[in-house]
PDB file of all heavy atoms in Angstrom:
ATOM      1  N   MET G   1      97.776  15.736 234.848  1.00  0.00           N
ATOM      2  CA  MET G   1      97.496  15.008 236.064  1.00  0.00           C
ATOM      3  C   MET G   1      96.030  14.567 236.041  1.00  0.00           C
ATOM      4  O   MET G   1      95.189  15.191 235.424  1.00  0.00           O
ATOM      5  CB  MET G   1      97.788  15.893 237.283  1.00  0.00           C
ATOM      6  CG  MET G   1      97.758  15.136 238.593  1.00  0.00           C
ATOM      7  SD  MET G   1      98.109  16.125 240.075  1.00  0.00           S
ATOM      8  CE  MET G   1      99.851  16.384 239.891  1.00  0.00           C
ATOM      9  N   ILE G   2      95.743  13.508 236.759  1.00  0.00           N
ATOM     10  CA  ILE G   2      94.397  12.964 236.866  1.00  0.00           C
ATOM     11  C   ILE G   2      93.440  14.028 237.398  1.00  0.00           C
ATOM     12  O   ILE G   2      93.781  14.782 238.311  1.00  0.00           O
ATOM     13  CB  ILE G   2      94.388  11.756 237.841  1.00  0.00           C
ATOM     14  CG1 ILE G   2      95.308  10.646 237.361  1.00  0.00           C
ATOM     15  CG2 ILE G   2      93.005  11.245 238.113  1.00  0.00           C
ATOM     16  CD1 ILE G   2      94.819   9.894 236.175  1.00  0.00           C
ATOM     17  N   ASN G   3      92.219  14.076 236.831  1.00  0.00           N
ATOM     18  CA  ASN G   3      91.189  14.976 237.322  1.00  0.00           C
ATOM     19  C   ASN G   3      90.546  14.347 238.560  1.00  0.00           C
ATOM     20  O   ASN G   3      89.757  13.418 238.455  1.00  0.00           O
ATOM     21  CB  ASN G   3      90.142  15.225 236.230  1.00  0.00           C
ATOM     22  CG  ASN G   3      89.019  16.119 236.697  1.00  0.00           C
ATOM     23  OD1 ASN G   3      88.997  16.588 237.838  1.00  0.00           O
ATOM     24  ND2 ASN G   3      88.072  16.357 235.809  1.00  0.00           N
ATOM     25  N   GLU G   6      86.497  13.802 239.460  1.00  0.00           N
ATOM     26  CA  GLU G   6      85.699  12.667 239.010  1.00  0.00           C
ATOM     27  C   GLU G   6      85.776  11.481 239.962  1.00  0.00           C
ATOM     28  O   GLU G   6      85.099  10.484 239.780  1.00  0.00           O
ATOM     29  CB  GLU G   6      86.106  12.238 237.594  1.00  0.00           C
ATOM     30  CG  GLU G   6      87.519  11.683 237.487  1.00  0.00           C
ATOM     31  CD  GLU G   6      87.922  11.350 236.064  1.00  0.00           C
ATOM     32  OE1 GLU G   6      87.506  10.306 235.556  1.00  0.00           O
ATOM     33  OE2 GLU G   6      88.655  12.158 235.476  1.00  0.00           O
ATOM     34  N   ILE G  15      92.754   3.965 239.920  1.00  0.00           N
ATOM     35  CA  ILE G  15      93.576   5.012 239.308  1.00  0.00           C
ATOM     36  C   ILE G  15      94.897   4.369 238.923  1.00  0.00           C
ATOM     37  O   ILE G  15      95.566   3.761 239.753  1.00  0.00           O
ATOM     38  CB  ILE G  15      93.857   6.168 240.292  1.00  0.00           C
ATOM     39  CG1 ILE G  15      92.573   6.754 240.850  1.00  0.00           C
ATOM     40  CG2 ILE G  15      94.703   7.244 239.601  1.00  0.00           C
ATOM     41  CD1 ILE G  15      92.815   7.804 241.928  1.00  0.00           C
ATOM     42  N   PHE G  16      95.265   4.503 237.671  1.00  0.00           N
ATOM     43  CA  PHE G  16      96.512   3.918 237.165  1.00  0.00           C
ATOM     44  C   PHE G  16      97.393   5.071 236.703  1.00  0.00           C
ATOM     45  O   PHE G  16      97.034   5.797 235.778  1.00  0.00           O
ATOM     46  CB  PHE G  16      96.196   2.990 235.992  1.00  0.00           C
ATOM     47  CG  PHE G  16      97.263   1.985 235.698  1.00  0.00           C
ATOM     48  CD1 PHE G  16      97.063   0.643 235.961  1.00  0.00           C
ATOM     49  CD2 PHE G  16      98.461   2.366 235.133  1.00  0.00           C
ATOM     50  CE1 PHE G  16      98.036  -0.299 235.680  1.00  0.00           C
ATOM     51  CE2 PHE G  16      99.447   1.440 234.838  1.00  0.00           C
ATOM     52  CZ  PHE G  16      99.225   0.103 235.118  1.00  0.00           C
ATOM     53  N   ILE G  17      98.532   5.279 237.381  1.00  0.00           N
ATOM     54  CA  ILE G  17      99.386   6.428 237.069  1.00  0.00           C
ATOM     55  C   ILE G  17     100.841   6.029 236.866  1.00  0.00           C
ATOM     56  O   ILE G  17     101.283   4.968 237.302  1.00  0.00           O
ATOM     57  CB  ILE G  17      99.340   7.510 238.175  1.00  0.00           C
ATOM     58  CG1 ILE G  17      99.893   6.982 239.512  1.00  0.00           C
ATOM     59  CG2 ILE G  17      97.954   8.102 238.306  1.00  0.00           C
ATOM     60  CD1 ILE G  17     100.165   8.058 240.544  1.00  0.00           C
ATOM     61  N   ARG G  18     101.544   6.927 236.216  1.00  0.00           N
ATOM     62  CA  ARG G  18     102.994   6.832 236.111  1.00  0.00           C
ATOM     63  C   ARG G  18     103.611   7.394 237.393  1.00  0.00           C
ATOM     64  O   ARG G  18     103.044   8.283 238.029  1.00  0.00           O
ATOM     65  CB  ARG G  18     103.484   7.644 234.913  1.00  0.00           C
ATOM     66  CG  ARG G  18     104.976   7.529 234.680  1.00  0.00           C
ATOM     67  CD  ARG G  18     105.412   8.368 233.492  1.00  0.00           C
ATOM     68  NE  ARG G  18     106.842   8.163 233.236  1.00  0.00           N
ATOM     69  CZ  ARG G  18     107.546   8.888 232.405  1.00  0.00           C
ATOM     70  NH1 ARG G  18     106.977   9.877 231.729  1.00  0.00           N
ATOM     71  NH2 ARG G  18     108.826   8.636 232.224  1.00  0.00           N
ATOM     72  N   HIS G  19     104.763   6.919 237.754  1.00  0.00           N
ATOM     73  CA  HIS G  19     105.507   7.386 238.923  1.00  0.00           C
ATOM     74  C   HIS G  19     105.828   8.877 238.824  1.00  0.00           C
ATOM     75  O   HIS G  19     105.670   9.497 237.774  1.00  0.00           O
ATOM     76  CB  HIS G  19     106.818   6.595 239.068  1.00  0.00           C
ATOM     77  CG  HIS G  19     107.640   6.636 237.812  1.00  0.00           C
ATOM     78  ND1 HIS G  19     108.396   7.727 237.445  1.00  0.00           N
ATOM     79  CD2 HIS G  19     107.786   5.723 236.820  1.00  0.00           C
ATOM     80  CE1 HIS G  19     108.989   7.489 236.291  1.00  0.00           C
ATOM     81  NE2 HIS G  19     108.636   6.269 235.885  1.00  0.00           N
ATOM     82  N   GLY G  20     106.331   9.441 239.920  1.00  0.00           N
ATOM     83  CA  GLY G  20     106.771  10.834 239.935  1.00  0.00           C
ATOM     84  C   GLY G  20     108.002  11.039 239.059  1.00  0.00           C
ATOM     85  O   GLY G  20     108.638  10.085 238.615  1.00  0.00           O
ATOM     86  N   GLU G  21     108.328  12.310 238.815  1.00  0.00           N
ATOM     87  CA  GLU G  21     109.447  12.650 237.934  1.00  0.00           C
ATOM     88  C   GLU G  21     110.728  11.942 238.372  1.00  0.00           C
ATOM     89  O   GLU G  21     111.148  12.046 239.514  1.00  0.00           O
ATOM     90  CB  GLU G  21     109.670  14.159 237.936  1.00  0.00           C
ATOM     91  CG  GLU G  21     110.761  14.589 236.982  1.00  0.00           C
ATOM     92  CD  GLU G  21     110.940  16.093 236.979  1.00  0.00           C
ATOM     93  OE1 GLU G  21     111.712  16.590 237.817  1.00  0.00           O
ATOM     94  OE2 GLU G  21     110.309  16.759 236.133  1.00  0.00           O
ATOM     95  N   ASP G  36     105.888  17.035 243.808  1.00  0.00           N
ATOM     96  CA  ASP G  36     104.668  16.809 243.027  1.00  0.00           C
ATOM     97  C   ASP G  36     103.898  15.589 243.541  1.00  0.00           C
ATOM     98  O   ASP G  36     102.667  15.596 243.585  1.00  0.00           O
ATOM     99  CB  ASP G  36     105.001  16.615 241.543  1.00  0.00           C
ATOM    100  CG  ASP G  36     105.449  17.888 240.864  1.00  0.00           C
ATOM    101  OD1 ASP G  36     105.329  18.978 241.455  1.00  0.00           O
ATOM    102  OD2 ASP G  36     105.955  17.793 239.726  1.00  0.00           O
ATOM    103  N   THR G  37     104.628  14.552 243.942  1.00  0.00           N
ATOM    104  CA  THR G  37     103.980  13.348 244.464  1.00  0.00           C
ATOM    105  C   THR G  37     103.281  13.656 245.783  1.00  0.00           C
ATOM    106  O   THR G  37     102.144  13.221 246.004  1.00  0.00           O
ATOM    107  CB  THR G  37     105.020  12.218 244.640  1.00  0.00           C
ATOM    108  OG1 THR G  37     105.590  11.917 243.360  1.00  0.00           O
ATOM    109  CG2 THR G  37     104.379  10.969 245.213  1.00  0.00           C
ATOM    110  N   PHE G  40     100.141  15.590 244.984  1.00  0.00           N
ATOM    111  CA  PHE G  40      99.134  14.667 244.451  1.00  0.00           C
ATOM    112  C   PHE G  40      98.491  13.884 245.596  1.00  0.00           C
ATOM    113  O   PHE G  40      97.270  13.734 245.654  1.00  0.00           O
ATOM    114  CB  PHE G  40      99.788  13.720 243.436  1.00  0.00           C
ATOM    115  CG  PHE G  40      98.864  12.703 242.855  1.00  0.00           C
ATOM    116  CD1 PHE G  40      97.944  13.045 241.871  1.00  0.00           C
ATOM    117  CD2 PHE G  40      98.911  11.379 243.274  1.00  0.00           C
ATOM    118  CE1 PHE G  40      97.089  12.092 241.331  1.00  0.00           C
ATOM    119  CE2 PHE G  40      98.066  10.420 242.743  1.00  0.00           C
ATOM    120  CZ  PHE G  40      97.156  10.785 241.770  1.00  0.00           C
ATOM    121  N   THR G  64     107.487   6.511 244.834  1.00  0.00           N
ATOM    122  CA  THR G  64     106.252   7.271 244.644  1.00  0.00           C
ATOM    123  C   THR G  64     105.159   6.712 245.547  1.00  0.00           C
ATOM    124  O   THR G  64     104.454   7.469 246.223  1.00  0.00           O
ATOM    125  CB  THR G  64     105.817   7.220 243.159  1.00  0.00           C
ATOM    126  OG1 THR G  64     106.864   7.771 242.343  1.00  0.00           O
ATOM    127  CG2 THR G  64     104.529   7.981 242.920  1.00  0.00           C
ATOM    128  N   LEU G 148      94.972   2.638 243.962  1.00  0.00           N
ATOM    129  CA  LEU G 148      95.950   3.374 243.170  1.00  0.00           C
ATOM    130  C   LEU G 148      97.020   2.405 242.690  1.00  0.00           C
ATOM    131  O   LEU G 148      97.595   1.669 243.491  1.00  0.00           O
ATOM    132  CB  LEU G 148      96.581   4.471 244.033  1.00  0.00           C
ATOM    133  CG  LEU G 148      97.677   5.318 243.396  1.00  0.00           C
ATOM    134  CD1 LEU G 148      97.119   6.132 242.228  1.00  0.00           C
ATOM    135  CD2 LEU G 148      98.293   6.243 244.438  1.00  0.00           C
ATOM    136  N   TYR G 149      97.264   2.403 241.388  1.00  0.00           N
ATOM    137  CA  TYR G 149      98.270   1.546 240.770  1.00  0.00           C
ATOM    138  C   TYR G 149      99.360   2.450 240.204  1.00  0.00           C
ATOM    139  O   TYR G 149      99.072   3.350 239.418  1.00  0.00           O
ATOM    140  CB  TYR G 149      97.657   0.712 239.646  1.00  0.00           C
ATOM    141  CG  TYR G 149      96.455  -0.088 240.090  1.00  0.00           C
ATOM    142  CD1 TYR G 149      95.170   0.451 240.020  1.00  0.00           C
ATOM    143  CD2 TYR G 149      96.602  -1.374 240.587  1.00  0.00           C
ATOM    144  CE1 TYR G 149      94.065  -0.276 240.431  1.00  0.00           C
ATOM    145  CE2 TYR G 149      95.497  -2.114 240.992  1.00  0.00           C
ATOM    146  CZ  TYR G 149      94.232  -1.555 240.924  1.00  0.00           C
ATOM    147  OH  TYR G 149      93.143  -2.282 241.337  1.00  0.00           O
ATOM    148  N   ILE G 150     100.616   2.189 240.576  1.00  0.00           N
ATOM    149  CA  ILE G 150     101.728   3.042 240.147  1.00  0.00           C
ATOM    150  C   ILE G 150     102.683   2.207 239.313  1.00  0.00           C
ATOM    151  O   ILE G 150     103.128   1.142 239.739  1.00  0.00           O
ATOM    152  CB  ILE G 150     102.453   3.645 241.364  1.00  0.00           C
ATOM    153  CG1 ILE G 150     101.450   4.437 242.207  1.00  0.00           C
ATOM    154  CG2 ILE G 150     103.630   4.518 240.914  1.00  0.00           C
ATOM    155  CD1 ILE G 150     101.958   4.811 243.576  1.00  0.00           C
ATOM    156  N   SER G 151     102.988   2.703 238.115  1.00  0.00           N
ATOM    157  CA  SER G 151     103.810   1.936 237.185  1.00  0.00           C
ATOM    158  C   SER G 151     104.686   2.866 236.359  1.00  0.00           C
ATOM    159  O   SER G 151     104.800   4.051 236.647  1.00  0.00           O
ATOM    160  CB  SER G 151     102.895   1.096 236.283  1.00  0.00           C
ATOM    161  OG  SER G 151     103.639   0.159 235.552  1.00  0.00           O
ATOM    162  N   GLN G 152     105.297   2.300 235.301  1.00  0.00           N
ATOM    163  CA  GLN G 152     106.132   3.061 234.381  1.00  0.00           C
ATOM    164  C   GLN G 152     105.300   3.505 233.171  1.00  0.00           C
ATOM    165  O   GLN G 152     104.217   2.996 232.928  1.00  0.00           O
ATOM    166  CB  GLN G 152     107.307   2.224 233.868  1.00  0.00           C
ATOM    167  CG  GLN G 152     108.244   1.715 234.924  1.00  0.00           C
ATOM    168  CD  GLN G 152     107.747   0.421 235.534  1.00  0.00           C
ATOM    169  OE1 GLN G 152     107.476   0.399 236.705  1.00  0.00           O
ATOM    170  NE2 GLN G 152     107.632  -0.640 234.784  1.00  0.00           N
ATOM    171  N   SER G 153     105.878   4.397 232.405  1.00  0.00           N
ATOM    172  CA  SER G 153     105.165   4.980 231.266  1.00  0.00           C
ATOM    173  C   SER G 153     104.688   3.932 230.263  1.00  0.00           C
ATOM    174  O   SER G 153     103.557   3.996 229.785  1.00  0.00           O
ATOM    175  CB  SER G 153     106.042   6.011 230.563  1.00  0.00           C
ATOM    176  OG  SER G 153     107.239   5.415 230.084  1.00  0.00           O
ATOM    177  N   THR G 155     103.889   0.769 230.654  1.00  0.00           N
ATOM    178  CA  THR G 155     102.768  -0.016 231.159  1.00  0.00           C
ATOM    179  C   THR G 155     101.501   0.828 231.198  1.00  0.00           C
ATOM    180  O   THR G 155     100.426   0.360 230.821  1.00  0.00           O
ATOM    181  CB  THR G 155     103.096  -0.593 232.553  1.00  0.00           C
ATOM    182  OG1 THR G 155     104.332  -1.305 232.472  1.00  0.00           O
ATOM    183  CG2 THR G 155     102.014  -1.539 233.028  1.00  0.00           C
ATOM    184  N   VAL G 156     101.604   2.078 231.621  1.00  0.00           N
ATOM    185  CA  VAL G 156     100.451   2.988 231.620  1.00  0.00           C
ATOM    186  C   VAL G 156      99.934   3.149 230.193  1.00  0.00           C
ATOM    187  O   VAL G 156      98.739   3.042 229.928  1.00  0.00           O
ATOM    188  CB  VAL G 156     100.798   4.357 232.233  1.00  0.00           C
ATOM    189  CG1 VAL G 156      99.623   5.328 232.101  1.00  0.00           C
ATOM    190  CG2 VAL G 156     101.209   4.210 233.692  1.00  0.00           C
ATOM    191  N   ALA G 157     100.840   3.389 229.246  1.00  0.00           N
ATOM    192  CA  ALA G 157     100.445   3.598 227.850  1.00  0.00           C
ATOM    193  C   ALA G 157      99.792   2.358 227.248  1.00  0.00           C
ATOM    194  O   ALA G 157      98.729   2.445 226.625  1.00  0.00           O
ATOM    195  CB  ALA G 157     101.654   4.025 227.021  1.00  0.00           C
ATOM    196  N   THR G 159      98.394  -0.325 228.742  1.00  0.00           N
ATOM    197  CA  THR G 159      97.119  -0.711 229.349  1.00  0.00           C
ATOM    198  C   THR G 159      96.022   0.293 228.989  1.00  0.00           C
ATOM    199  O   THR G 159      94.899  -0.109 228.681  1.00  0.00           O
ATOM    200  CB  THR G 159      97.231  -0.858 230.881  1.00  0.00           C
ATOM    201  OG1 THR G 159      97.713   0.359 231.452  1.00  0.00           O
ATOM    202  CG2 THR G 159      98.143  -2.012 231.254  1.00  0.00           C
ATOM    203  N   ILE G 166      92.891   5.711 226.237  1.00  0.00           N
ATOM    204  CA  ILE G 166      93.815   6.778 225.846  1.00  0.00           C
ATOM    205  C   ILE G 166      94.851   6.215 224.880  1.00  0.00           C
ATOM    206  O   ILE G 166      95.249   5.058 224.988  1.00  0.00           O
ATOM    207  CB  ILE G 166      94.492   7.412 227.080  1.00  0.00           C
ATOM    208  CG1 ILE G 166      95.217   8.684 226.689  1.00  0.00           C
ATOM    209  CG2 ILE G 166      95.371   6.425 227.815  1.00  0.00           C
ATOM    210  CD1 ILE G 166      95.509   9.602 227.876  1.00  0.00           C
ATOM    211  N   TYR G 168      98.408   7.416 223.772  1.00  0.00           N
ATOM    212  CA  TYR G 168      99.527   8.349 223.857  1.00  0.00           C
ATOM    213  C   TYR G 168     100.277   8.352 222.544  1.00  0.00           C
ATOM    214  O   TYR G 168     100.536   7.307 221.961  1.00  0.00           O
ATOM    215  CB  TYR G 168     100.479   7.955 224.984  1.00  0.00           C
ATOM    216  CG  TYR G 168      99.863   8.108 226.344  1.00  0.00           C
ATOM    217  CD1 TYR G 168      99.317   7.018 227.004  1.00  0.00           C
ATOM    218  CD2 TYR G 168      99.814   9.357 226.956  1.00  0.00           C
ATOM    219  CE1 TYR G 168      98.741   7.162 228.257  1.00  0.00           C
ATOM    220  CE2 TYR G 168      99.245   9.511 228.211  1.00  0.00           C
ATOM    221  CZ  TYR G 168      98.710   8.408 228.842  1.00  0.00           C
ATOM    222  OH  TYR G 168      98.144   8.555 230.080  1.00  0.00           O
ATOM    223  N   ASP G 174     104.183  14.516 223.745  1.00  0.00           N
ATOM    224  CA  ASP G 174     102.896  13.971 224.165  1.00  0.00           C
ATOM    225  C   ASP G 174     103.056  12.526 224.622  1.00  0.00           C
ATOM    226  O   ASP G 174     102.475  11.618 224.074  1.00  0.00           O
ATOM    227  CB  ASP G 174     101.886  14.071 223.013  1.00  0.00           C
ATOM    228  CG  ASP G 174     100.469  13.757 223.472  1.00  0.00           C
ATOM    229  OD1 ASP G 174     100.211  13.842 224.686  1.00  0.00           O
ATOM    230  OD2 ASP G 174      99.635  13.425 222.626  1.00  0.00           O
ATOM    231  N   TRP G 175     103.889  12.306 225.599  1.00  0.00           N
ATOM    232  CA  TRP G 175     104.064  10.979 226.172  1.00  0.00           C
ATOM    233  C   TRP G 175     103.383  10.980 227.526  1.00  0.00           C
ATOM    234  O   TRP G 175     102.801  11.973 227.937  1.00  0.00           O
ATOM    235  CB  TRP G 175     105.553  10.630 226.244  1.00  0.00           C
ATOM    236  CG  TRP G 175     105.844   9.217 226.646  1.00  0.00           C
ATOM    237  CD1 TRP G 175     106.646   8.834 227.675  1.00  0.00           C
ATOM    238  CD2 TRP G 175     105.371   8.003 226.059  1.00  0.00           C
ATOM    239  NE1 TRP G 175     106.707   7.464 227.755  1.00  0.00           N
ATOM    240  CE2 TRP G 175     105.918   6.928 226.782  1.00  0.00           C
ATOM    241  CE3 TRP G 175     104.511   7.708 225.012  1.00  0.00           C
ATOM    242  CZ2 TRP G 175     105.660   5.588 226.480  1.00  0.00           C
ATOM    243  CZ3 TRP G 175     104.245   6.384 224.703  1.00  0.00           C
ATOM    244  CH2 TRP G 175     104.823   5.342 225.428  1.00  0.00           C
ATOM    245  N   VAL G 176     103.451   9.904 228.250  1.00  0.00           N
ATOM    246  CA  VAL G 176     102.788   9.796 229.550  1.00  0.00           C
ATOM    247  C   VAL G 176     103.505  10.715 230.546  1.00  0.00           C
ATOM    248  O   VAL G 176     104.663  10.474 230.886  1.00  0.00           O
ATOM    249  CB  VAL G 176     102.820   8.349 230.077  1.00  0.00           C
ATOM    250  CG1 VAL G 176     102.033   8.240 231.374  1.00  0.00           C
ATOM    251  CG2 VAL G 176     102.303   7.368 229.031  1.00  0.00           C
ATOM    252  N   ASN G 177     102.826  11.753 230.983  1.00  0.00           N
ATOM    253  CA  ASN G 177     103.420  12.677 231.948  1.00  0.00           C
ATOM    254  C   ASN G 177     103.558  11.995 233.309  1.00  0.00           C
ATOM    255  O   ASN G 177     102.830  11.050 233.618  1.00  0.00           O
ATOM    256  CB  ASN G 177     102.561  13.929 232.098  1.00  0.00           C
ATOM    257  CG  ASN G 177     102.594  14.784 230.848  1.00  0.00           C
ATOM    258  OD1 ASN G 177     103.613  14.896 230.199  1.00  0.00           O
ATOM    259  ND2 ASN G 177     101.460  15.364 230.512  1.00  0.00           N
ATOM    260  N   TYR G 178     104.449  12.503 234.121  1.00  0.00           N
ATOM    261  CA  TYR G 178     104.606  11.988 235.476  1.00  0.00           C
ATOM    262  C   TYR G 178     103.315  12.206 236.256  1.00  0.00           C
ATOM    263  O   TYR G 178     102.667  13.243 236.119  1.00  0.00           O
ATOM    264  CB  TYR G 178     105.776  12.684 236.178  1.00  0.00           C
ATOM    265  CG  TYR G 178     107.099  12.422 235.488  1.00  0.00           C
ATOM    266  CD1 TYR G 178     107.748  13.416 234.781  1.00  0.00           C
ATOM    267  CD2 TYR G 178     107.675  11.152 235.525  1.00  0.00           C
ATOM    268  CE1 TYR G 178     108.953  13.180 234.143  1.00  0.00           C
ATOM    269  CE2 TYR G 178     108.884  10.898 234.879  1.00  0.00           C
ATOM    270  CZ  TYR G 178     109.505  11.916 234.194  1.00  0.00           C
ATOM    271  OH  TYR G 178     110.694  11.668 233.553  1.00  0.00           O
ATOM    272  N   LEU G 179     102.928  11.218 237.042  1.00  0.00           N
ATOM    273  CA  LEU G 179     101.719  11.236 237.864  1.00  0.00           C
ATOM    274  C   LEU G 179     100.451  11.377 237.035  1.00  0.00           C
ATOM    275  O   LEU G 179      99.411  11.802 237.529  1.00  0.00           O
ATOM    276  CB  LEU G 179     101.790  12.338 238.939  1.00  0.00           C
ATOM    277  CG  LEU G 179     102.969  12.222 239.892  1.00  0.00           C
ATOM    278  CD1 LEU G 179     103.039  13.461 240.795  1.00  0.00           C
ATOM    279  CD2 LEU G 179     102.860  10.959 240.734  1.00  0.00           C
ATOM    280  N   ASP G 180     100.508  10.983 235.787  1.00  0.00           N
ATOM    281  CA  ASP G 180      99.331  11.014 234.914  1.00  0.00           C
ATOM    282  C   ASP G 180      98.977   9.581 234.542  1.00  0.00           C
ATOM    283  O   ASP G 180      99.775   8.663 234.665  1.00  0.00           O
ATOM    284  CB  ASP G 180      99.630  11.838 233.658  1.00  0.00           C
ATOM    285  CG  ASP G 180      98.348  12.236 232.929  1.00  0.00           C
ATOM    286  OD1 ASP G 180      97.246  12.028 233.479  1.00  0.00           O
ATOM    287  OD2 ASP G 180      98.445  12.782 231.815  1.00  0.00           O
ATOM    288  N   GLY G 181      97.795   9.393 234.066  1.00  0.00           N
ATOM    289  CA  GLY G 181      97.332   8.076 233.667  1.00  0.00           C
ATOM    290  C   GLY G 181      95.839   8.113 233.390  1.00  0.00           C
ATOM    291  O   GLY G 181      95.361   8.981 232.687  1.00  0.00           O
ATOM    292  N   TYR G 182      95.097   7.186 234.009  1.00  0.00           N
ATOM    293  CA  TYR G 182      93.661   7.124 233.750  1.00  0.00           C
ATOM    294  C   TYR G 182      92.918   6.602 234.980  1.00  0.00           C
ATOM    295  O   TYR G 182      93.508   6.059 235.911  1.00  0.00           O
ATOM    296  CB  TYR G 182      93.359   6.260 232.525  1.00  0.00           C
ATOM    297  CG  TYR G 182      93.941   4.854 232.583  1.00  0.00           C
ATOM    298  CD1 TYR G 182      93.238   3.827 233.211  1.00  0.00           C
ATOM    299  CD2 TYR G 182      95.166   4.560 232.009  1.00  0.00           C
ATOM    300  CE1 TYR G 182      93.765   2.540 233.258  1.00  0.00           C
ATOM    301  CE2 TYR G 182      95.689   3.276 232.055  1.00  0.00           C
ATOM    302  CZ  TYR G 182      94.982   2.279 232.672  1.00  0.00           C
ATOM    303  OH  TYR G 182      95.501   1.008 232.725  1.00  0.00           O
ATOM    304  N   VAL G 183      91.597   6.779 234.936  1.00  0.00           N
ATOM    305  CA  VAL G 183      90.710   6.361 236.022  1.00  0.00           C
ATOM    306  C   VAL G 183      89.659   5.418 235.454  1.00  0.00           C
ATOM    307  O   VAL G 183      89.120   5.644 234.373  1.00  0.00           O
ATOM    308  CB  VAL G 183      89.997   7.584 236.647  1.00  0.00           C
ATOM    309  CG1 VAL G 183      88.957   7.159 237.678  1.00  0.00           C
ATOM    310  CG2 VAL G 183      91.004   8.552 237.240  1.00  0.00           C
TER     311      VAL G 183
END
Side-chain angles (χ1 to χ4, degrees):
M1 190 180 287
I2 300 288
N3 178 1
E6 66 184 282
I15 305 174
F16 200 110
I17 63 167
R18 184 181 184 190
H19 54 78
E21 183 179 88
D36 289 349
T37 299
F40 178 77
T64 301
L148 177 64
Y149 306 90
I150 302 167
S151 191
Q152 300 85 243
S153 60
T155 306
V156 175
T159 57
I166 192 161
Y168 293 98
D174 191 20
W175 188 234
V176 184
N177 291 323
Y178 298 109
L179 301 173
D180 196 9
Y182 54 86
V183 174

